[in-house]
Amino acid sequence: MATDQDFIDYVCGQMRAAGSITSRKMFGEYAIYLDGRIIAFACDNQLFVKPLAGARAFIGTPKEAPPYPGAKMYFLIDEQLDDSQWMSALARVTAAEVPLPKPKIPAAKAAKSKAPAKAARPARRIAKTAAKAVVKATAKPRTKKTATTAANAKKAAAPRKTRK
């Protein structure tokens, strides 16, 4: 069962006192952000807060559960959803430990930075090929063992069997 938009609106409304609370749909469920930092997930109309030390200390003994099969354990918040002051404080404590997201590179700047690398690719390929050729030329020639040569000679001398 997917999370309802009403549940997301309710949870975000309960945390509004913490700051700028937003949500974003991800993989059919929702991520909840405080000032651009992911602090919780909403899956199957349940709230899962990131399992950080500050949140654990704030909650006390949290109930832990995975938000989806195969996921790591998160703090499941259910009974305290109706207490907006508690929810806002939990959001602030959790966000304080979450690092800021990495700044995105503008598309125009990213395209410029990739262009020189693409132009250098053929030169790098030529240099690699030349280096391999030098290694092959300077390598010692392989010598066959005499036992192998004798075995090969016996095989060559033996008559071949043909299938009928």
Side-chain angles (χ1 to χ4, degrees), residues 103-125:
K104 293 184 179 179
I105 299 172
K109 191 173 183 180
K112 286 180 183 178
S113 66
K114 288 182 182 178
K118 284 185 179 180
R121 283 184 190 158
R124 278 187 258 155
R125 283 190 199 132

Side-chain angles (χ1 to χ4, degrees), residues 18-88:
S20 174
I21 297 286
T22 57
S23 65
R24 183 174 172 191
K25 197 164 191 168
M26 295 181 134
F27 308 113
E29 298 295 349
Y30 290 85
I32 298 174
Y33 297 80
L34 172 59
D35 297 328
R37 299 172 181 176
I38 295 178
I39 58 167
F41 295 104
C43 302
D44 295 329
N45 287 336
Q46 294 179 315
L47 181 65
F48 296 91
V49 175
K50 284 193 158 201
L52 302 170
R56 183 180 299 277
F58 180 78
I59 295 169
T61 307
K63 187 187 297 183
E64 295 186 52
Y68 53 88
K72 68 179 184 175
M73 301 299 263
Y74 281 75
F75 300 150
L76 176 61
I77 309 299
D78 53 0
E79 296 171 4
Q80 297 91 352
L81 281 176
D82 296 329
D83 186 353
S84 64
Q85 289 179 339
W86 189 88
M87 290 289 291
S88 296

